[in-house]
Amino acid sequence: MSPRQKNKLNDIARQMMSGVVQILVEGYIEEDIQSVLNPSVKIPGIWSGSGFFVKYKDLEGYIVTNGHVVRNAVKIEISSMLTSEERFEAEIVGLVKQLEPDVALIRLMDKELQRFKKLAIQPIDYLELREGANPSRGELIKAIGYPLGMVEPNITGGEITNFISGSEFTSERFVTNAAINPGNSGGPSITEDGKVIGLNTAMIVDAQNIGFITPASFIKIIIDNLILLNEPHFAGIGGKLQKNAENFNPLLKQDHAKGVIVSKVQTNGFLEAANIKARDVILSINRAEFDRHGIVIGKEGLYRHKNIFDVMKLVPIGEEVEIRYLRDGKVHQSKAKAMPNPEKGIISSPILNERKYLEVFGMVIQPLSFEIIQAIQEVDPYAQIEMLKILDQEKPMLVVTHIHQGTQADQMEWPLGELIIKINGKEVHTLEEIQKVLEKQKGEPVLLECQSGMIGYFQTEKEPSLGN
């Protein structure tokens, strides 16, 4: 890169720096195992991150940041180099709770936006997302943010060094050697065209010069969903896929292994809507063809391992999708509208204030979530293994996550991690179902049965306490 090009990128970064803000948060420390197993225990904390004013239609005061920066926040304030050390209160528009991708959208409240404009030394610089064209390896970028709580924005330089494909559960990321440290995650990575190529997202601990960027195309879809639907969803396949192989040629009546095999079709999902069946072979989606590994074939695939999940997630929900597939040796074509994957019974529940729980008989009962399964590992790895066996459960499951000493549950020596499946012989899947039965008992004994076969016979004393 010539000195002139380098200076141009430096100048652009300095100009765009005014659109980047520091985000200061008061909230709860979500990683604390006590809070996961007993949601009535909340550990307060303070932290900071970065964000940027995003250009989106005619909206004002909207800021993009990482989901982990504002997840479990109680109070959010932003500061900007345009307004000295003044702070302005912001509210969450929405976020990807599972952090895949790690994106959130916040906004200045109306009064705060007006106060910001009044105090700012110049108009807000709204940064534009770069969509469509993907970066290439070696493309120079600048990452902007407020690392380690610095009060002035920091600019670090680097380049796009690699790409990480998404999966059924993860989203695509760009890899960079630009320094991305705690605090400047949530800020923008920008290119010579003066646009945001992506969101500074994370670094690998103990790795040298490896950081991640969430692509701008994913950010745009998240913003659309948050503003229009108030819930960030990507389009999903709606089933399980497996790699193709030449061994399957006689079975699938294919000339050679190309495309991926559908191993399972999920009820009420995209594949079912497109009339796809198990053992069909998906050849292309919206004209993007796939090899036997599910990787896009063509020039883009030569330099990138963009896969079928990446292609699907970039289709806006509700948009019609064209899918070509092989069945019994013949190529067919079908269409269906893009939709999120149907929700399973076992979900992620990372927002502390949204966790529902029931305190009864001296124990805390919660809907089973991925966070609980992970927390249980630190207490009882065997119990975690039992829970992992039911991840594909269609209905929710209830789990005992805490036992208070000296209570009925403690006297019966109920262990942590028991999965409750029946109350008085009736199958239960929700806290509300348990609560209804207990309200009818009015002092009568209650029999709880667990998946392990363990039982508990409890005397009801008062109405159960349902919390969140």
Side-chain angles (χ1 to χ4, degrees):
M1 187 179 193
S2 68
R4 183 177 179 182
Q5 288 176 304
K6 186 175 181 180
N7 289 335
K8 180 182 178 182
L9 183 54
N10 288 337
D11 291 342
I12 290 170
R14 281 192 288 269
Q15 292 170 13
M16 297 177 70
M17 187 170 61
S18 63
V20 182
V21 301
Q22 184 173 39
I23 301 174
L24 305 115
V25 183
E26 295 179 23
Y28 301 122
I29 302 174
E30 61 189 62
E31 295 86 1
D32 192 277
I33 188 173
Q34 294 182 71
S35 297
V36 176
L37 300 180
N38 185 2
S40 64
V41 177
K42 295 177 180 177
I43 312 299
I46 56 173
W47 59 90
S48 67
S50 301
F52 62 93
F53 286 105
V54 64
K55 186 175 182 180
Y56 183 86
K57 299 181 179 178
D58 59 349
L59 295 179
E60 290 187 297
Y62 281 73
I63 297 167
V64 170
T65 184
N66 283 147
H68 78 261
V69 172
V70 295
R71 194 166 74 170
N72 290 306
V74 174
K75 182 179 182 180
I76 302 171
E77 293 180 315
I78 67 113
S79 64
S80 165
M81 62 182 294
L82 299 180
T83 57
S84 185
E85 295 185 358
E86 293 290 336
R87 293 188 178 188
F88 304 86
E89 195 167 351
E91 63 181 359
I92 296 175
V93 177
L95 72 154
V96 182
K97 297 174 184 177
Q98 291 76 32
L99 308 183
E100 282 295 341
D102 191 353
V103 178
L105 187 65
I106 66 176
R107 75 178 186 95
L108 289 179
M109 299 177 184
D110 293 337
K111 287 184 179 180
E112 295 290 80
L113 177 59
Q114 297 309 315
R115 187 166 71 93
F116 188 102
K117 288 181 175 180
K118 185 177 180 180
L119 295 174
I121 59 176
Q122 68 181 52
I124 295 173
D125 188 7
Y126 287 93
L127 307 189
E128 186 176 351
L129 298 172
R130 171 175 156 183
E131 299 178 73
N134 285 309
S136 57
R137 285 181 179 83
E139 183 169 354
L140 292 179
I141 65 163
K142 293 288 185 180
I144 310 174
Y146 291 78
L148 307 173
M150 294 180 181
V151 296
E152 294 188 15
N154 190 64
I155 299 176
T156 57
E159 60 188 23
I160 299 297
T161 58
N162 207 347
F163 305 93
I164 296 179
S165 298
S167 69
E168 182 181 0
F169 307 106
T170 62
S171 53
E172 182 185 24
R173 290 181 176 89
F174 303 151
V175 182
T176 181
N177 56 3
I180 296 176
N181 299 299
N184 78 334
S185 61
S189 282
I190 59 102
T191 50
E192 193 180 13
D193 60 4
K195 294 183 180 180
V196 176
I197 198 173
L199 185 67
N200 306 333
T201 298
M203 63 176 181
I204 297 180
V205 178
D206 297 329
Q208 293 287 330
N209 299 327
I210 296 179
F212 296 129
I213 298 171
T214 298
S217 296
F218 284 103
I219 299 170
K220 173 62 164 54
I221 287 182
I222 293 297
I223 294 175
D224 287 339
N225 287 336
L226 288 174
I227 291 177
L228 298 177
L229 307 174
N230 201 32
E231 194 65 37
H233 290 300
F234 282 134
I237 289 292
K240 298 292 183 182
L241 308 176
Q242 71 177 80
K243 292 184 178 184
N244 206 338
E246 298 296 333
N247 282 24
F248 289 119
N249 288 355
L251 176 68
L252 302 176
K253 298 179 182 178
Q254 59 187 14
D255 296 328
H256 61 278
K258 181 182 177 183
V260 289
I261 302 170
V262 177
S263 56
K264 184 179 180 181
V265 175
Q266 195 171 355
T267 303
N268 298 323
F270 168 74
L271 290 180
E272 183 183 75
N275 296 314
I276 304 297
K277 298 179 180 179
R279 297 191 184 179
D280 285 349
V281 180
I282 298 177
L283 301 174
S284 70
I285 289 178
N286 285 350
R287 299 182 182 178
E289 296 186 3
F290 309 108
D291 65 16
R292 75 179 189 91
H293 302 281
I295 304 300
V296 175
I297 298 172
K299 185 177 180 181
E300 188 172 36
L302 178 65
Y303 302 107
R304 306 246 331 253
H305 275 201
K306 193 167 187 176
N307 62 32
I308 187 170
F309 298 107
D310 298 326
V311 170
M312 198 69 200
K313 286 176 182 176
L314 287 174
V315 179
I317 290 172
E319 186 173 293
E320 196 166 61
V321 178
E322 181 183 287
I323 182 169
R324 288 176 61 252
Y325 60 96
L326 183 74
R327 178 184 294 170
D328 294 327
K330 295 182 180 179
V331 176
H332 300 268
Q333 185 169 302
S334 179
K335 292 182 179 181
K337 289 184 177 180
M339 64 181 74
N341 284 331
E343 225 175 49
K344 292 284 189 178
I346 314 304
I347 62 173
S348 178
S349 182
I351 309 298
L352 299 186
N353 285 337
E354 293 181 2
R355 289 180 186 159
K356 291 186 176 181
Y357 62 97
L358 192 65
E359 287 198 85
V360 62
F361 310 130
M363 57 186 169
V364 174
I365 303 172
Q366 298 186 67
L368 184 60
S369 67
F370 294 119
E371 288 75 20
I372 290 173
I373 294 174
Q374 187 174 9
I376 288 287
Q377 180 183 22
E378 299 185 33
V379 181
D380 185 354
Y382 177 76
Q384 186 207 33
I385 292 172
E386 291 301 307
M387 293 175 187
L388 289 172
K389 294 178 182 177
I390 61 167
L391 282 182
D392 274 340
Q393 181 83 14
E394 294 294 335
K395 294 183 178 180
M397 294 289 288
L398 298 174
V399 59
V400 177
T401 59
H402 183 75
I403 305 292
H404 294 290
Q405 293 184 0
T407 61
Q408 293 186 63
D410 185 37
Q411 290 168 5
M412 292 185 190
E413 298 187 5
W414 264 47
L416 204 65
E418 283 293 331
L419 296 167
I420 298 173
I421 58 173
K422 289 183 180 180
I423 179 169
N424 286 354
K426 181 182 179 181
E427 187 176 309
V428 289
H429 292 278
T430 68
L431 299 177
E432 289 75 16
E433 289 173 341
I434 289 184
Q435 196 172 28
K436 285 181 181 179
V437 172
L438 295 179
E439 287 171 352
K440 291 179 181 179
Q441 289 305 102
K442 297 180 180 179
E444 296 296 320
V446 167
L447 175 65
L448 293 181
E449 299 176 54
C450 299
Q451 185 167 277
S452 66
M454 189 168 182
I455 61 172
Y457 197 58
F458 301 97
Q459 181 64 43
T460 58
E461 297 176 356
K462 59 182 181 178
E463 291 186 0
S465 172
L466 186 63
N468 61 12

